[in-house]
Amino acid sequence: KKREVQALFDQLSEREHEVLTHVLRGALNKQIADDLGICERTVKLHRTSITTKLGVQSVAELARLAQEAGTFPKGQ
């Protein structure tokens, strides 16, 4: 099961991983855009792509899945 979940995260691009990290830390789209030097609209597109690839619909599901994969340990 863990391998399957990790395989989902492996589908993400490097930029999607960066956006995901910020999302899981609770950053807003505008903050993510400022941090990464991209447009807020681009952040939204990355977030949509991430949730589509991972098959989740909320940040809560995203966090649970990331924890399950061991990608982002608790407290990060």
Side-chain angles (χ1 to χ4, degrees):
K1 173 77 178 162
K2 187 174 179 176
R3 259 199 200 123
E4 291 169 25
V5 176
Q6 283 173 330
L8 291 174
F9 283 93
D10 290 343
Q11 295 176 37
L12 301 180
S13 70
E14 196 174 316
R15 181 60 99 186
E16 288 167 347
H17 272 287
E18 290 173 334
V19 171
L20 176 63
T21 302
H22 282 77
V23 169
L24 292 174
R25 288 185 182 141
L28 302 172
N29 289 348
K30 185 169 175 31
Q31 293 169 317
I32 297 169
D34 288 347
D35 284 352
L36 299 180
I38 57 178
C39 297
E40 192 173 345
R41 178 170 164 68
T42 305
V43 173
K44 289 177 185 174
L45 292 171
H46 284 309
R47 288 184 71 150
T48 300
S49 179
I50 291 165
T51 55
T52 301
K53 287 180 181 179
L54 298 179
V56 296
Q57 294 179 357
S58 69
V59 175
E61 281 183 87
L62 196 56
R64 185 190 53 73
L65 200 63
Q67 198 175 322
E68 200 174 305
T71 312
F72 298 95
K74 266 188 182 171
Q76 199 179 35

